Amino acid sequence: MEGDRIPWAEDGIYLPERPSFTLDPAFHAGAYYVQEASSMVLEEILKQVVNLKENLLALDLCAAPGGKSTHIQSLLSDGSLLVSNEVIKTRANILAENLTKWGFPNVVITNNDPSHFDRLNVQFDVIVVDAPCSGEGLFRREPEAMNEWSPEAVKLCATRQQRILADIWPALKPGGVLIYSTCTYNSLENEENLEWLSEQLDAEGISINLNDDWGFAETETRGIKGFHAYPHKVKGEGFFIAAVRKNDGFEKKLRKQKKPMNFASKQEIGTVSQWLKEPEQFDFIKHNDLFIALPNQWKEVIHDINSNLYIISEGIDIGRLKGKKLIPNEGLAFSTALDHNQLSTFELNLEEALNYLRKENFNFEAMNNGWNLITYQGLGLGWANRIQQRVNNYYPTNWRIRISS
Ligand SMILES: C[S@@+](CC[C@H](N)C(=O)[O-])C[C@H]1O[C@@H](n2cnc3c(N)ncnc32)[C@H](O)[C@@H]1O
């Protein structure tokens, strides 16, 4: 893809026009994510406030549809773990779809209210709160959004944001960093919330400097820096972001969890791990009949999360066993941990790939019998099973594309 670089995001580019992403199989393969440029300044803030080379435990609290989570995952080290949470169930499912396609195994997707995180024994090194807000920064792009705006709505948003911040604060480690952002301009939801964070939660500012040429407007509230993106100054839509450090508070101790995990047997592991690049990095558990691979480095933390929160998805959904044979899940097709050399792959051209995504016929004459990873430009799209002169297309029906070229 070609376009001007976004100065504050290494892999970000401005698209010169909006193509039909639905008709690009690479989009469905999770090769890229489309989001608003200003909000990608999160990358520069993260680089300045945490050491991204370390293995961090990160929480994206208000995560759907997944713009920040996909971006954060690409920035964290391979040994880090991201918990990506969304309180609204339908939105959490969209988040899960996007993160499954993104393909990183070190992720747990939860569907909880911020107050539930207090049940955890673990605390996070970094928490991102991309808060629900009055959305003034979107008015230029979506003028209808103005109809929902009122001074009362702004006040309600600010109160809700404070409640979210207060609820999640105990889940942050002492010394940890909380990044707060909105896509609105008013001070009630931005600077006044920073003042509230400082007064009520004793949050402290962190030294952050953005390149003046980028055009972000810096504000400072009780030593806490915030940055506004105003569309006439920054090449992007309206956005606000700030970061604070938690200095006091107590550190929780990770306790053994009572809720048992259902680990796979040695024999089952032999089958379900056969296509992974480094199976020794994972624990294999069974959830109902679905086998899941979890990064074993985070075993206790994941156990704690499983015992206390509502999980939508975690690690890699590998698949189910039918007798001794693996029926692979779509989660495995997208996973960066999948070893394409260990299995039969079948590459499709653009037209064929779109037909596969529509669950329509495509030419499979050259396909091997048995399970095949369907690829487009080498990227995993999903699974197909050839049985002699028939092919079963395992692309999830609810992800099927419904428009014609
Ligand atoms: C600005 S959006 C998040 C966008 C997302 N971070 C991204 O980059 O794709 C705010 C999210 O907060 C969620 N939300 C709404 N009310 C909430 C609450 N009371 N607590 C936590 N999250 C809430 C919304 O459902 C929405 O998904």
Side-chain angles (χ1 to χ4, degrees):
M1 243 175 231
E2 308 244 321
D4 292 344
R5 273 203 56 233
I6 298 175
W8 47 86
E10 233 167 84
D11 295 324
I13 54 166
Y14 290 101
L15 292 175
E17 58 188 4
R18 195 181 171 91
S20 168
F21 301 112
T22 311
L23 294 176
D24 180 9
F27 176 67
H28 299 277
Y32 60 92
Y33 191 93
V34 189
Q35 62 180 309
E36 207 287 301
S38 304
S39 61
M40 292 175 80
V41 76
L42 170 67
E43 172 169 335
E44 180 61 27
I45 304 282
L46 265 175
K47 282 179 177 164
Q48 293 193 28
V49 299
V50 292
N51 182 355
L52 288 169
K53 291 203 176 91
E54 282 178 7
N55 292 340
L56 300 172
L57 179 59
L59 168 65
D60 185 7
L61 183 66
C62 311
K68 309 273 177 322
S69 278
T70 47
H71 195 185
I72 295 166
Q73 269 216 303
S74 302
L75 297 168
L76 291 175
S77 68
D78 291 346
S80 296
L81 183 74
L82 174 69
V83 178
S84 183
N85 178 71
E86 168 57 44
V87 68
I88 297 174
K89 181 70 186 282
T90 46
R91 292 178 59 82
N93 291 332
I94 296 164
L95 174 68
E97 177 181 336
N98 287 332
L99 287 180
T100 299
K101 290 179 175 172
W102 206 241
F104 284 64
N106 289 11
V107 67
V108 179
I109 301 159
T110 57
N111 173 216
N112 285 87
D113 185 83
S115 61
H116 298 170
F117 282 80
D118 198 23
R119 301 173 190 158
L120 290 179
N121 295 300
V122 291
Q123 287 168 306
F124 294 88
D125 298 297
V126 55
I127 297 180
V128 174
V129 178
D130 187 28
C133 68
S134 60
E136 293 157 359
L138 305 177
F139 289 176
R140 186 173 73 154
R141 203 178 61 192
E142 297 166 23
E144 329 71 75
M146 277 187 255
N147 301 333
E148 314 226 327
W149 188 95
S150 68
E152 291 71 38
V154 168
K155 273 188 210 141
L156 267 172
C157 282
T159 310
R160 180 167 57 181
Q161 287 148 358
Q162 289 176 7
R163 192 177 66 234
I164 292 172
L165 290 167
D167 283 344
I168 208 60
W169 194 247
L172 184 64
K173 264 184 200 160
V177 171
L178 184 142
I179 298 177
Y180 175 74
S181 61
T182 68
C183 54
T184 211
Y185 301 122
N186 71 76
S187 59
L188 214 61
E189 296 176 69
N190 295 324
E191 284 82 355
E192 291 192 32
N193 274 346
L194 298 186
E195 189 173 334
W196 180 89
L197 268 168
S198 159
E199 276 175 4
Q200 300 298 318
L201 302 177
D202 210 13
E204 277 204 359
I206 309 175
S207 156
I208 302 170
N209 291 299
L210 297 187
N211 188 328
D212 288 343
D213 297 344
W214 298 350
F216 288 84
E218 186 178 314
T219 66
E220 194 162 328
T221 315
R222 291 177 64 111
I224 304 173
K225 279 190 184 182
F227 297 89
H228 281 280
Y230 296 119
H232 61 297
K233 296 266 175 65
V234 167
K235 201 174 163 198
E237 298 303 319
F239 188 64
F240 175 82
I241 191 162
V244 296
R245 194 179 300 286
K246 177 176 177 175
N247 276 329
D248 58 358
F250 63 96
E251 197 161 338
K252 290 186 174 177
K253 290 269 171 295
L254 195 56
R255 279 182 310 219
K256 263 212 159 5
Q257 293 302 317
K258 292 196 185 87
K259 191 173 162 189
M261 301 266 265
N262 190 5
F263 288 97
S265 70
K266 237 184 175 170
Q267 198 183 9
E268 289 169 333
I269 292 173
T271 311
V272 299
S273 69
Q274 60 185 321
W275 294 334
L276 294 183
K277 281 182 206 153
E278 293 170 296
E280 65 286 352
Q281 296 202 348
F282 297 94
D283 286 325
F284 295 88
I285 62 160
K286 245 190 290 185
H287 185 69
N288 298 324
D289 59 344
L290 177 68
F291 286 86
I292 296 170
L294 299 173
N296 53 21
Q297 185 188 351
W298 291 97
K299 188 182 200 148
E300 277 90 28
V301 169
I302 291 178
H303 199 170
D304 184 31
I305 297 169
N306 273 264
S307 304
N308 295 298
L309 297 179
Y310 184 76
I311 310 279
I312 296 281
S313 133
E314 55 186 340
I316 314 164
D317 285 350
I318 301 267
R320 294 175 165 79
L321 288 183
K322 196 170 177 190
K324 287 188 179 154
K325 289 224 167 100
L326 175 66
I327 317 273
N329 184 281
E330 56 276 7
L332 185 60
F334 299 104
S335 180
T336 57
L338 181 70
D339 186 352
H340 288 204
N341 300 320
Q342 300 272 358
L343 46 96
S344 176
T345 60
F346 191 65
E347 173 75 12
L348 300 182
N349 64 28
L350 175 64
E351 195 187 327
E352 292 166 336
L354 289 172
N355 281 341
Y356 171 77
L357 294 170
R358 293 187 186 106
K359 288 179 85 81
E360 286 173 1
N361 295 335
F362 58 92
N363 183 351
F364 59 87
E365 251 167 58
M367 188 191 279
N368 292 329
N369 265 313
W371 285 103
N372 285 267
L373 176 71
I374 301 298
T375 61
Y376 173 74
Q377 297 180 346
L379 304 160
L381 271 188
W383 299 101
N385 189 14
R386 176 167 185 181
I387 308 158
Q388 306 305 340
Q389 288 318 305
R390 206 182 76 221
V391 150
N392 292 332
N393 181 336
Y394 274 73
Y395 195 68
T397 308
N398 52 339
W399 292 0
R400 184 164 66 101
I401 63 172
R402 289 159 206 280
I403 56 171
S404 43
S405 308

